[in-house]
Amino acid sequence: MLDADFFHRWMTRTAASVDREAAHLTELDSAIGDADHGSNLQRGFTAVSAALDKEPPQTPGAVLMLAGRQLISTVGGASGPLYGTLLRRTGKELGDAPTVTVEELARALGAGVAAVAQLGGAQAGDKTMLDALLPAAEALGTSFEAARDAARAGALATVPMQARKGRASYLGERSIGHQDPGATSAALLIAALAATDGATGGDA
Amino acid sequence: MLINVPETVVADALRGMAAAHPELTVDVENRVVVRRDAPVAGKTALVSGGGSGHEPLHAGFVGPGMLSAACAGEVFTSPVPDQMVRAAVAVDSGAGVLFVVKNYTGDVLNFEMAAELADEEGVRVAQVLVNDDVAVTDSLFTAGRRGTGATLFVEKIAGAAAEEGAPLDRVTEVARQVNESSRSFGVALSSVTTPAKGSPTFDLPAGELELGVGIHGEPGRERRPMMTSREIADFTVDAVLEDLRPRGPVIALVNGMGATPLLELYGFNAEVQRVLSERGVVVARTLVGNYVTSLDMAGCSVTLCQVDEELVRLWDAPVETPALRWGR
C-alpha cells in the first residue's frame, strides 16, 4: 500500500531528477521549441518540494493535488497547465483514502493522462508528453519498472515523429529527428516513481 | 548580456519600468502592470500578457486608450493563471474584462484556466485569440497560426473602443474584427539568445536568413541566402497579401524584432510601401518601430490590417502608454 509519505517522496525525487536534467531538457527544447523547458520545470518542482515540506498533506490524493496546484501557479507556458492537470486529476481520482494500491494509482494516472489529452487536444503520435505518459499509465498495471521502461521507450519513440501540437508543430517536417522535451520530462516523472518504489525507508 | 542572473531578469526589468513610469502601478512580486487609475468606473477593461522578451509588448501598452493591465511571464513563457486573475480583479469596474490572448498553447491554456477562476471571483470575462501569422499553416497538424504583430492592432483599436465606453460584447467584437482583418509574416537575420540558455537558440550563419519566424526564436519555415531589403519586402508583403487579399485600405506595421536599427527599418518600410503601391493597396496609416520583439533577434515583420473608417478612427484615437502615445 502507498501512503502520503510515498507520494511526497515521489515528488521530491522528481524535483531532484528535474534539477539534474534541467540543462538536458532545455537543450532538447532549443532544438524544436524555445529553450526553456528545463528551467520552467525546475522552477515548478522546486516550488512543489517546498510546499510539500512546509505542510505535508495527509493523503496521497492531497499530495498530488497540492503539487499540481503549485505547478500551475509557478511554471507557466504549456507545461504548467498540462503537468498541473496531470497531477491534480490523478490526485482527485485517488480521493481522500489514507493509502492506495498500485492498481488504484494506475487507474487514477490513466484518468490524469486522459485529462491532459483533453486539455491539450493531443493524442498518441503527436510528439508530446502523451507519447511517454500513455504507455506508462498502461504498463503501471503490470509494475513500476514496466511503467518506467514504457515511458522511456515512449520518449525515445518521439524522435522520428513530426510534431502536431505545441510550438514544435510550427517546424513541420523540421521537427523530425529530435526527441520531444515534454515526453522526456514525463519519462523522468515516471522513472522517479519507480525509483521511489525501489527505495527503502525515508530515502528521498 | 546586460543582466545580473537569468532568474531575476523579469523582476529587474519591472522594477526599472516602475521607476521610469510612475503613471503605472507595477506589482513586481506578482508581475502585473496596471494603469494607475484602474478600475475606471463603467469602462470595459482589457488585460493581456505573455512571455517576457517581447517588449514593449505587453506592459508597454498599458495606459489610457489601450490595455488596463498586463501580466509578464518568464522569458518566452506565458504567465500563470494567478497573475491573470489578479490583473482581472484589479481592473474590473463591473463592466467586465477582455483577455487578449496570443495563439500559443501555453498562453491559451493559462488564460482559459484564468477565465474560469476569474468567473468564480465574479468577474465577467471574454477572450479574443490573436492568430495572424501566415507563416504557419493553420491545420489539424499544427497548433494553429501564431499571434504576433496583430496583437498591437487588437490592443490599440479595441482599447480605443473600450475607452469610449463600448460595452464588453462590443469591445470583443471589435477585437475579433481586427484580428480577422490582420495578417503577419516575419524574417530573422540572427537567432535569439535567451538569458536562461545564454547562447543562440538556433544557428543562423551570417549571410543567411530565416523566413517565416515567430517571436520566440523558434526556427522559421525556410532558410535562404541573404536577400536585399527590397527582396525581403517583396517576399514578406506578398506572403501577407496572398492570404489577406485586402479589398480596402490597410494599416501597416513594420516591426523590428529587437536588434535591427531604425535606419534599416525605415529603409525596409520604404520598400514595403513600394510593394504595396505596386500591388494597388492603399495604406491608411503606417507604424514603424520595435513593438513586438524577440529579445536580441535581428529581423523584421510586416503586419497589415484591412480597415474601414471606424477602425481608422479608433486607431487615431488618443493613446497614452509607455510605448505608444499620441493624440493627447
Side-chain angles (χ1 to χ4, degrees), chain A residues 26-27 30-31 33-36 39-40 43 69 71-78 81-82 85 119-120 163-167 169-171 174, chain B residues 74-82 103-106 109-110 113 136 140-144 146 196-197 201 210 216 218-222:
Chain A
T26 290
E27 192 61 42
S30 78
D34 59 355
D36 62 5
S39 46
N40 284 344
R43 184 175 61 249
R69 188 70 190 86
L71 293 177
I72 290 170
S73 295
T74 56
V75 176
L82 291 169
T85 295
L119 181 65
R164 292 182 184 177
K165 290 289 167 188
R167 228 169 255 172
S169 70
Y170 303 136
L171 288 179
R174 290 164 77 178
Chain B
E74 288 291 326
V75 173
F76 291 172
T77 301
S78 80
V80 300
D82 310 38
N103 188 35
Y104 294 96
T105 308
L109 295 182
N110 284 285
M113 289 193 164
V136 174
L140 292 175
F141 305 106
T142 68
R146 298 175 286 222
K197 185 155 183 270
T201 299
E210 187 93 16
H216 298 99
E218 64 266 52
R221 67 176 180 189
E222 192 185 339

Short mmCIF file of all heavy atoms in Angstrom, two decimals, chain A residues 26-27 30-31 33-36 39-40 43 69 71-78 81-82 85 119-120 163-167 169-171 174, chain B residues 74-82 103-106 109-110 113 136 140-144 146 196-197 201 210 216 218-222:
data_model
loop_
_atom_site.label_atom_id
_atom_site.label_comp_id
_atom_site.label_asym_id
_atom_site.label_seq_id
_atom_site.Cartn_x
_atom_site.Cartn_y
_atom_site.Cartn_z
N THR A 26 16.37 21.56 -21.49
CA THR A 26 16.41 22.84 -22.18
C THR A 26 17.11 22.70 -23.53
O THR A 26 16.71 23.30 -24.52
CB THR A 26 17.11 23.89 -21.29
OG1 THR A 26 16.23 24.18 -20.20
CG2 THR A 26 17.41 25.17 -22.04
N GLU A 27 18.14 21.86 -23.56
CA GLU A 27 18.86 21.62 -24.82
C GLU A 27 17.92 20.96 -25.85
O GLU A 27 17.87 21.37 -27.00
CB GLU A 27 20.06 20.70 -24.54
CG GLU A 27 21.05 20.60 -25.69
CD GLU A 27 21.68 21.95 -26.04
OE1 GLU A 27 22.02 22.70 -25.10
OE2 GLU A 27 21.80 22.25 -27.24
N SER A 30 15.58 23.54 -27.11
CA SER A 30 16.12 24.56 -28.01
C SER A 30 16.12 24.06 -29.45
O SER A 30 16.10 24.84 -30.39
CB SER A 30 17.51 25.01 -27.58
OG SER A 30 18.47 24.06 -27.96
N ALA A 31 16.10 22.74 -29.63
CA ALA A 31 16.10 22.19 -30.99
C ALA A 31 14.74 22.38 -31.67
O ALA A 31 14.66 22.68 -32.85
CB ALA A 31 16.46 20.70 -30.96
N GLY A 33 11.82 23.88 -29.78
CA GLY A 33 10.92 24.76 -29.05
C GLY A 33 11.61 26.08 -28.80
O GLY A 33 12.19 26.67 -29.70
N ASP A 34 11.56 26.52 -27.55
CA ASP A 34 12.15 27.83 -27.27
C ASP A 34 13.08 27.81 -26.07
O ASP A 34 13.27 28.81 -25.41
CB ASP A 34 11.05 28.87 -27.08
CG ASP A 34 10.13 28.49 -25.95
OD1 ASP A 34 10.31 27.39 -25.41
OD2 ASP A 34 9.25 29.28 -25.60
N ALA A 35 13.66 26.64 -25.81
CA ALA A 35 14.80 26.57 -24.89
C ALA A 35 14.50 26.96 -23.46
O ALA A 35 15.29 27.66 -22.83
CB ALA A 35 15.97 27.40 -25.43
N ASP A 36 13.37 26.53 -22.93
CA ASP A 36 13.14 26.84 -21.52
C ASP A 36 12.45 25.72 -20.73
O ASP A 36 12.06 25.93 -19.59
CB ASP A 36 12.32 28.14 -21.38
CG ASP A 36 10.95 28.03 -22.02
OD1 ASP A 36 10.59 26.94 -22.49
OD2 ASP A 36 10.23 29.05 -22.07
N SER A 39 14.34 24.86 -17.36
CA SER A 39 14.29 25.88 -16.31
C SER A 39 12.87 26.07 -15.79
O SER A 39 12.66 26.33 -14.61
CB SER A 39 14.88 27.20 -16.81
OG SER A 39 14.40 27.54 -18.08
N ASN A 40 11.88 25.93 -16.67
CA ASN A 40 10.48 26.08 -16.22
C ASN A 40 10.08 24.98 -15.25
O ASN A 40 9.49 25.24 -14.20
CB ASN A 40 9.53 26.08 -17.42
CG ASN A 40 9.56 27.39 -18.17
OD1 ASN A 40 10.05 28.39 -17.67
ND2 ASN A 40 9.04 27.39 -19.38
N ARG A 43 11.83 25.31 -11.85
CA ARG A 43 11.18 26.31 -11.01
C ARG A 43 9.92 25.71 -10.37
O ARG A 43 9.66 25.87 -9.18
CB ARG A 43 10.83 27.54 -11.85
CG ARG A 43 10.22 28.68 -11.08
CD ARG A 43 10.01 29.91 -11.97
NE ARG A 43 9.09 29.65 -13.08
CZ ARG A 43 9.43 29.59 -14.35
NH1 ARG A 43 10.68 29.79 -14.71
NH2 ARG A 43 8.56 29.33 -15.29
N ARG A 69 -1.32 22.03 -8.14
CA ARG A 69 -1.66 23.45 -7.98
C ARG A 69 -0.39 24.31 -8.01
O ARG A 69 -0.37 25.39 -8.59
CB ARG A 69 -2.41 23.66 -6.67
CG ARG A 69 -2.98 25.05 -6.49
CD ARG A 69 -4.15 25.27 -7.46
NE ARG A 69 -4.59 26.68 -7.51
CZ ARG A 69 -4.05 27.61 -8.30
NH1 ARG A 69 -3.05 27.31 -9.11
NH2 ARG A 69 -4.51 28.84 -8.28
N LEU A 71 2.39 23.64 -9.56
CA LEU A 71 2.92 23.69 -10.92
C LEU A 71 2.15 24.71 -11.76
O LEU A 71 2.73 25.50 -12.50
CB LEU A 71 2.86 22.30 -11.58
CG LEU A 71 3.79 21.25 -10.97
CD1 LEU A 71 3.59 19.90 -11.66
CD2 LEU A 71 5.25 21.67 -11.09
N ILE A 72 0.81 24.70 -11.62
CA ILE A 72 0.00 25.65 -12.38
C ILE A 72 0.37 27.08 -12.00
O ILE A 72 0.43 27.97 -12.85
CB ILE A 72 -1.50 25.38 -12.15
CG1 ILE A 72 -1.91 24.07 -12.81
CG2 ILE A 72 -2.35 26.54 -12.68
CD1 ILE A 72 -3.30 23.58 -12.46
N SER A 73 0.66 27.30 -10.72
CA SER A 73 0.94 28.65 -10.23
C SER A 73 2.35 29.14 -10.52
O SER A 73 2.63 30.32 -10.37
CB SER A 73 0.73 28.73 -8.71
OG SER A 73 -0.62 28.51 -8.41
N THR A 74 3.26 28.24 -10.85
CA THR A 74 4.65 28.68 -10.98
C THR A 74 5.31 28.41 -12.33
O THR A 74 6.29 29.06 -12.67
CB THR A 74 5.55 28.01 -9.92
OG1 THR A 74 5.41 26.59 -10.03
CG2 THR A 74 5.16 28.44 -8.51
N VAL A 75 4.79 27.46 -13.11
CA VAL A 75 5.52 27.07 -14.32
C VAL A 75 5.20 27.96 -15.51
O VAL A 75 6.08 28.45 -16.22
CB VAL A 75 5.27 25.59 -14.67
CG1 VAL A 75 5.96 25.23 -15.99
CG2 VAL A 75 5.79 24.68 -13.56
N GLY A 76 3.92 28.20 -15.78
CA GLY A 76 3.54 28.95 -16.97
C GLY A 76 3.71 28.11 -18.22
O GLY A 76 3.89 26.89 -18.14
N GLY A 77 3.67 28.77 -19.39
CA GLY A 77 3.79 28.04 -20.64
C GLY A 77 2.74 26.96 -20.75
O GLY A 77 1.72 26.99 -20.07
N ALA A 78 2.98 25.98 -21.61
CA ALA A 78 2.04 24.87 -21.73
C ALA A 78 2.28 23.84 -20.63
O ALA A 78 1.36 23.17 -20.17
CB ALA A 78 2.17 24.22 -23.11
N PRO A 81 0.03 24.20 -17.02
CA PRO A 81 -1.32 23.65 -17.01
C PRO A 81 -1.36 22.14 -17.30
O PRO A 81 -2.17 21.43 -16.72
CB PRO A 81 -2.03 24.40 -18.13
CG PRO A 81 -1.25 25.64 -18.34
CD PRO A 81 0.17 25.33 -17.95
N LEU A 82 -0.48 21.65 -18.18
CA LEU A 82 -0.55 20.23 -18.54
C LEU A 82 -0.06 19.34 -17.40
O LEU A 82 -0.76 18.40 -16.99
CB LEU A 82 0.26 19.97 -19.82
CG LEU A 82 -0.35 20.60 -21.09
CD1 LEU A 82 0.63 20.53 -22.26
CD2 LEU A 82 -1.67 19.92 -21.47
N THR A 85 -2.47 19.73 -14.46
CA THR A 85 -3.70 18.96 -14.65
C THR A 85 -3.44 17.47 -14.43
O THR A 85 -4.26 16.77 -13.82
CB THR A 85 -4.26 19.22 -16.07
OG1 THR A 85 -4.65 20.58 -16.13
CG2 THR A 85 -5.45 18.32 -16.37
N LEU A 119 -7.20 18.38 -22.40
CA LEU A 119 -6.82 19.79 -22.25
C LEU A 119 -5.98 20.26 -23.44
O LEU A 119 -6.21 21.33 -24.00
CB LEU A 119 -6.05 20.00 -20.94
CG LEU A 119 -5.60 21.43 -20.63
CD1 LEU A 119 -6.80 22.34 -20.43
CD2 LEU A 119 -4.70 21.46 -19.40
N GLY A 120 -5.00 19.46 -23.83
CA GLY A 120 -4.11 19.86 -24.92
C GLY A 120 -4.64 19.49 -26.29
O GLY A 120 -4.07 19.87 -27.30
N ALA A 163 5.98 16.81 -35.14
CA ALA A 163 5.14 17.41 -34.10
C ALA A 163 3.86 17.97 -34.69
O ALA A 163 3.87 18.61 -35.74
CB ALA A 163 5.91 18.51 -33.39
N ARG A 164 2.76 17.75 -33.98
CA ARG A 164 1.47 18.30 -34.41
C ARG A 164 0.85 19.20 -33.37
O ARG A 164 -0.22 19.76 -33.60
CB ARG A 164 0.49 17.15 -34.70
CG ARG A 164 0.89 16.33 -35.89
CD ARG A 164 -0.14 15.26 -36.12
NE ARG A 164 0.27 14.40 -37.20
CZ ARG A 164 -0.42 13.33 -37.58
NH1 ARG A 164 -1.53 13.02 -36.94
NH2 ARG A 164 -0.01 12.59 -38.57
N LYS A 165 1.47 19.28 -32.22
CA LYS A 165 0.94 20.12 -31.16
C LYS A 165 2.07 20.97 -30.59
O LYS A 165 3.24 20.60 -30.70
CB LYS A 165 0.31 19.28 -30.04
CG LYS A 165 -0.97 18.59 -30.46
CD LYS A 165 -2.12 19.58 -30.62
CE LYS A 165 -3.29 18.93 -31.35
NZ LYS A 165 -4.33 19.92 -31.69
N GLY A 166 1.69 22.07 -29.95
CA GLY A 166 2.69 22.90 -29.29
C GLY A 166 3.57 23.64 -30.27
O GLY A 166 3.35 23.62 -31.48
N ARG A 167 4.59 24.28 -29.72
CA ARG A 167 5.42 25.16 -30.54
C ARG A 167 6.22 24.40 -31.59
O ARG A 167 6.52 24.92 -32.64
CB ARG A 167 6.36 25.94 -29.63
CG ARG A 167 6.37 27.39 -29.96
CD ARG A 167 7.08 28.18 -28.91
NE ARG A 167 6.17 28.90 -28.07
CZ ARG A 167 6.53 29.55 -26.98
NH1 ARG A 167 7.78 29.55 -26.61
NH2 ARG A 167 5.65 30.18 -26.26
N SER A 169 5.22 22.21 -33.46
CA SER A 169 4.42 21.95 -34.65
C SER A 169 4.66 22.99 -35.74
O SER A 169 4.43 22.73 -36.92
CB SER A 169 2.93 21.90 -34.31
OG SER A 169 2.44 23.19 -33.97
N TYR A 170 5.16 24.18 -35.35
CA TYR A 170 5.42 25.22 -36.35
C TYR A 170 6.56 24.80 -37.29
O TYR A 170 6.70 25.32 -38.37
CB TYR A 170 5.78 26.55 -35.68
CG TYR A 170 4.73 27.04 -34.72
CD1 TYR A 170 5.07 27.56 -33.48
CD2 TYR A 170 3.39 26.99 -35.07
CE1 TYR A 170 4.11 28.01 -32.61
CE2 TYR A 170 2.41 27.43 -34.20
CZ TYR A 170 2.77 27.95 -32.97
OH TYR A 170 1.82 28.40 -32.10
N LEU A 171 7.38 23.87 -36.81
CA LEU A 171 8.53 23.45 -37.61
C LEU A 171 8.17 22.47 -38.71
O LEU A 171 8.96 22.23 -39.61
CB LEU A 171 9.57 22.79 -36.71
CG LEU A 171 10.35 23.70 -35.79
CD1 LEU A 171 11.32 22.88 -34.97
CD2 LEU A 171 11.08 24.74 -36.59
N ARG A 174 10.64 19.77 -40.06
CA ARG A 174 11.93 20.03 -39.41
C ARG A 174 11.92 19.60 -37.94
O ARG A 174 12.94 19.64 -37.28
CB ARG A 174 12.31 21.50 -39.55
CG ARG A 174 12.67 21.85 -40.99
CD ARG A 174 12.66 23.35 -41.21
NE ARG A 174 13.84 23.99 -40.66
CZ ARG A 174 14.09 25.29 -40.75
NH1 ARG A 174 13.22 26.08 -41.37
NH2 ARG A 174 15.17 25.82 -40.23
N GLU B 74 7.62 34.48 -17.47
CA GLU B 74 9.06 34.29 -17.61
C GLU B 74 9.41 34.55 -19.07
O GLU B 74 8.54 34.66 -19.92
CB GLU B 74 9.44 32.85 -17.24
CG GLU B 74 9.35 32.53 -15.77
CD GLU B 74 10.42 33.24 -14.95
OE1 GLU B 74 11.54 33.43 -15.46
OE2 GLU B 74 10.12 33.62 -13.82
N VAL B 75 10.71 34.62 -19.38
CA VAL B 75 11.12 34.88 -20.75
C VAL B 75 10.55 33.80 -21.68
O VAL B 75 10.79 32.60 -21.47
CB VAL B 75 12.66 34.93 -20.86
CG1 VAL B 75 13.09 35.02 -22.32
CG2 VAL B 75 13.19 36.12 -20.07
N PHE B 76 9.76 34.23 -22.64
CA PHE B 76 9.15 33.37 -23.67
C PHE B 76 8.20 32.32 -23.09
O PHE B 76 7.89 31.33 -23.74
CB PHE B 76 10.20 32.69 -24.53
CG PHE B 76 10.95 33.63 -25.44
CD1 PHE B 76 12.04 33.20 -26.17
CD2 PHE B 76 10.55 34.94 -25.57
CE1 PHE B 76 12.73 34.06 -27.02
CE2 PHE B 76 11.23 35.82 -26.41
CZ PHE B 76 12.32 35.38 -27.14
N THR B 77 7.78 32.49 -21.84
CA THR B 77 6.87 31.55 -21.20
C THR B 77 5.62 32.30 -20.76
O THR B 77 5.74 33.35 -20.13
CB THR B 77 7.53 30.92 -19.97
OG1 THR B 77 8.73 30.26 -20.38
CG2 THR B 77 6.62 29.91 -19.29
N SER B 78 4.46 31.77 -21.06
CA SER B 78 3.25 32.52 -20.71
C SER B 78 3.16 32.72 -19.21
O SER B 78 3.73 31.97 -18.43
CB SER B 78 2.02 31.76 -21.19
OG SER B 78 1.71 30.74 -20.28
N PRO B 79 2.47 33.78 -18.79
CA PRO B 79 2.23 33.98 -17.36
C PRO B 79 1.36 32.83 -16.83
O PRO B 79 0.84 32.04 -17.61
CB PRO B 79 1.45 35.30 -17.31
CG PRO B 79 1.47 35.87 -18.69
CD PRO B 79 1.80 34.77 -19.63
N VAL B 80 1.20 32.80 -15.52
CA VAL B 80 0.37 31.75 -14.89
C VAL B 80 -1.01 32.33 -14.59
O VAL B 80 -1.17 33.55 -14.51
CB VAL B 80 1.04 31.20 -13.61
CG1 VAL B 80 2.40 30.61 -13.95
CG2 VAL B 80 1.17 32.27 -12.55
N PRO B 81 -2.02 31.46 -14.43
CA PRO B 81 -3.40 31.94 -14.22
C PRO B 81 -3.52 32.89 -13.03
O PRO B 81 -4.30 33.85 -13.09
CB PRO B 81 -4.19 30.65 -13.97
CG PRO B 81 -3.40 29.58 -14.62
CD PRO B 81 -1.97 30.00 -14.50
N ASP B 82 -2.77 32.65 -11.97
CA ASP B 82 -2.87 33.50 -10.78
C ASP B 82 -2.62 34.98 -11.12
O ASP B 82 -3.28 35.86 -10.61
CB ASP B 82 -1.84 33.08 -9.71
CG ASP B 82 -1.88 31.59 -9.43
OD1 ASP B 82 -2.07 30.81 -10.38
OD2 ASP B 82 -1.72 31.19 -8.27
N ASN B 103 -2.15 33.28 -29.83
CA ASN B 103 -2.34 31.85 -30.02
C ASN B 103 -1.04 31.05 -29.90
O ASN B 103 -0.36 30.81 -30.90
CB ASN B 103 -3.01 31.55 -31.36
CG ASN B 103 -3.37 30.08 -31.48
OD1 ASN B 103 -3.74 29.45 -30.50
ND2 ASN B 103 -3.26 29.51 -32.68
N TYR B 104 -0.70 30.74 -28.67
CA TYR B 104 0.36 29.77 -28.36
C TYR B 104 -0.24 28.85 -27.33
O TYR B 104 -1.00 29.31 -26.46
CB TYR B 104 1.59 30.47 -27.76
CG TYR B 104 2.28 31.38 -28.73
CD1 TYR B 104 2.01 32.73 -28.74
CD2 TYR B 104 3.19 30.88 -29.67
CE1 TYR B 104 2.61 33.58 -29.65
CE2 TYR B 104 3.79 31.72 -30.58
CZ TYR B 104 3.50 33.07 -30.57
OH TYR B 104 4.09 33.89 -31.48
N THR B 105 0.10 27.58 -27.38
CA THR B 105 -0.52 26.60 -26.49
C THR B 105 -0.50 27.06 -25.03
O THR B 105 -1.52 27.00 -24.34
CB THR B 105 0.20 25.25 -26.64
OG1 THR B 105 0.25 24.93 -28.03
CG2 THR B 105 -0.56 24.16 -25.91
N GLY B 106 0.65 27.55 -24.58
CA GLY B 106 0.77 27.93 -23.17
C GLY B 106 -0.13 29.11 -22.81
O GLY B 106 -0.80 29.10 -21.78
N LEU B 109 -3.86 27.91 -22.78
CA LEU B 109 -4.23 27.08 -21.62
C LEU B 109 -4.29 27.89 -20.33
O LEU B 109 -5.21 27.75 -19.53
CB LEU B 109 -3.24 25.92 -21.45
CG LEU B 109 -3.20 24.88 -22.58
CD1 LEU B 109 -2.20 23.78 -22.25
CD2 LEU B 109 -4.58 24.29 -22.82
N ASN B 110 -3.30 28.76 -20.13
CA ASN B 110 -3.27 29.53 -18.88
C ASN B 110 -4.39 30.57 -18.82
O ASN B 110 -5.01 30.76 -17.77
CB ASN B 110 -1.90 30.21 -18.70
CG ASN B 110 -0.84 29.22 -18.25
OD1 ASN B 110 -0.80 28.80 -17.11
ND2 ASN B 110 0.01 28.80 -19.18
N MET B 113 -7.69 28.76 -18.02
CA MET B 113 -7.80 28.48 -16.59
C MET B 113 -8.11 29.76 -15.82
O MET B 113 -8.93 29.77 -14.91
CB MET B 113 -6.51 27.87 -16.06
CG MET B 113 -6.28 26.47 -16.55
SD MET B 113 -4.96 25.64 -15.62
CE MET B 113 -5.29 23.94 -16.09
N VAL B 136 2.63 30.13 -40.56
CA VAL B 136 2.22 28.83 -40.02
C VAL B 136 0.97 28.36 -40.76
O VAL B 136 0.00 29.09 -40.89
CB VAL B 136 1.88 28.95 -38.52
CG1 VAL B 136 1.32 27.64 -38.00
CG2 VAL B 136 3.11 29.35 -37.74
N LEU B 140 -5.01 20.90 -38.87
CA LEU B 140 -5.06 19.95 -37.75
C LEU B 140 -3.66 19.52 -37.35
O LEU B 140 -3.46 18.94 -36.29
CB LEU B 140 -5.86 18.72 -38.16
CG LEU B 140 -7.35 18.96 -38.37
CD1 LEU B 140 -8.01 17.70 -38.89
CD2 LEU B 140 -8.00 19.38 -37.05
N PHE B 141 -2.67 19.83 -38.18
CA PHE B 141 -1.33 19.32 -37.94
C PHE B 141 -0.41 20.34 -37.29
O PHE B 141 0.78 20.14 -37.16
CB PHE B 141 -0.73 18.80 -39.24
CG PHE B 141 -1.61 17.78 -39.88
CD1 PHE B 141 -2.35 18.09 -41.01
CD2 PHE B 141 -1.75 16.52 -39.33
CE1 PHE B 141 -3.20 17.15 -41.58
CE2 PHE B 141 -2.58 15.58 -39.89
CZ PHE B 141 -3.32 15.89 -41.02
N THR B 142 -0.96 21.46 -36.88
CA THR B 142 -0.16 22.43 -36.12
C THR B 142 -1.01 22.95 -34.97
O THR B 142 -2.19 22.65 -34.87
CB THR B 142 0.25 23.65 -36.98
OG1 THR B 142 -0.94 24.41 -37.28
CG2 THR B 142 0.92 23.25 -38.26
N ALA B 143 -0.37 23.75 -34.11
CA ALA B 143 -1.11 24.37 -33.01
C ALA B 143 -1.91 25.56 -33.52
O ALA B 143 -2.51 26.29 -32.75
CB ALA B 143 -0.16 24.79 -31.91
N GLY B 144 -1.92 25.77 -34.83
CA GLY B 144 -2.64 26.91 -35.41
C GLY B 144 -1.73 28.11 -35.56
O GLY B 144 -0.62 28.14 -35.03
N ARG B 146 0.26 31.44 -35.20
CA ARG B 146 0.73 32.17 -34.03
C ARG B 146 0.15 33.58 -33.99
O ARG B 146 -0.18 34.15 -35.03
CB ARG B 146 2.26 32.31 -34.09
CG ARG B 146 2.99 31.00 -34.08
CD ARG B 146 4.49 31.21 -34.26
NE ARG B 146 4.85 31.56 -35.62
CZ ARG B 146 5.90 31.06 -36.26
NH1 ARG B 146 6.68 30.19 -35.65
NH2 ARG B 146 6.18 31.44 -37.48
N ALA B 196 18.33 32.41 -20.06
CA ALA B 196 18.49 31.11 -19.41
C ALA B 196 19.53 30.24 -20.11
O ALA B 196 20.31 29.54 -19.48
CB ALA B 196 17.15 30.39 -19.33
N LYS B 197 19.53 30.29 -21.45
CA LYS B 197 20.44 29.42 -22.20
C LYS B 197 21.78 30.10 -22.43
O LYS B 197 22.82 29.45 -22.37
CB LYS B 197 19.79 29.01 -23.54
CG LYS B 197 20.59 28.02 -24.34
CD LYS B 197 19.69 27.20 -25.28
CE LYS B 197 20.51 26.15 -26.02
NZ LYS B 197 21.04 26.64 -27.31
N THR B 201 19.68 30.36 -29.77
CA THR B 201 18.73 29.25 -29.78
C THR B 201 18.85 28.41 -31.04
O THR B 201 18.78 27.20 -31.01
CB THR B 201 17.29 29.79 -29.65
OG1 THR B 201 17.20 30.48 -28.41
CG2 THR B 201 16.29 28.67 -29.67
N GLU B 210 16.31 33.53 -42.18
CA GLU B 210 15.28 32.54 -41.90
C GLU B 210 13.93 33.20 -42.18
O GLU B 210 13.61 34.25 -41.60
CB GLU B 210 15.40 32.14 -40.42
CG GLU B 210 14.53 31.02 -39.99
CD GLU B 210 15.22 29.65 -40.07
OE1 GLU B 210 16.45 29.57 -40.18
OE2 GLU B 210 14.47 28.66 -40.03
N HIS B 216 9.76 33.73 -30.80
CA HIS B 216 10.37 33.02 -29.67
C HIS B 216 11.68 32.34 -30.06
O HIS B 216 12.11 31.41 -29.41
CB HIS B 216 9.42 31.96 -29.13
CG HIS B 216 8.17 32.54 -28.61
ND1 HIS B 216 7.00 32.56 -29.34
CD2 HIS B 216 7.89 33.15 -27.44
CE1 HIS B 216 6.06 33.15 -28.63
NE2 HIS B 216 6.56 33.53 -27.49
N GLU B 218 11.95 30.39 -32.33
CA GLU B 218 11.70 29.11 -32.97
C GLU B 218 12.04 29.29 -34.45
O GLU B 218 11.71 30.31 -35.05
CB GLU B 218 10.25 28.65 -32.78
CG GLU B 218 9.18 29.53 -33.40
CD GLU B 218 8.62 30.57 -32.43
OE1 GLU B 218 9.44 31.29 -31.82
OE2 GLU B 218 7.40 30.67 -32.31
N PRO B 219 12.74 28.32 -35.02
CA PRO B 219 13.12 28.45 -36.43
C PRO B 219 11.90 28.66 -37.32
O PRO B 219 10.78 28.32 -36.96
CB PRO B 219 13.79 27.12 -36.73
CG PRO B 219 14.28 26.63 -35.42
CD PRO B 219 13.28 27.11 -34.42
N GLY B 220 12.13 29.22 -38.49
CA GLY B 220 11.03 29.51 -39.40
C GLY B 220 10.72 28.37 -40.33
O GLY B 220 11.01 27.22 -40.03
N ARG B 221 10.13 28.69 -41.48
CA ARG B 221 9.74 27.60 -42.37
C ARG B 221 10.75 27.36 -43.47
O ARG B 221 10.69 26.35 -44.14
CB ARG B 221 8.34 27.85 -42.94
CG ARG B 221 8.21 29.03 -43.89
CD ARG B 221 6.77 29.08 -44.45
NE ARG B 221 6.59 30.17 -45.37
CZ ARG B 221 5.40 30.54 -45.87
NH1 ARG B 221 4.32 29.89 -45.51
NH2 ARG B 221 5.31 31.54 -46.71
N GLU B 222 11.69 28.28 -43.63
CA GLU B 222 12.62 28.13 -44.75
C GLU B 222 13.86 28.99 -44.52
O GLU B 222 13.76 30.07 -43.96
CB GLU B 222 11.91 28.61 -46.02
CG GLU B 222 12.59 28.29 -47.31
CD GLU B 222 11.82 28.92 -48.49
OE1 GLU B 222 10.62 29.24 -48.35
OE2 GLU B 222 12.45 29.12 -49.53
#
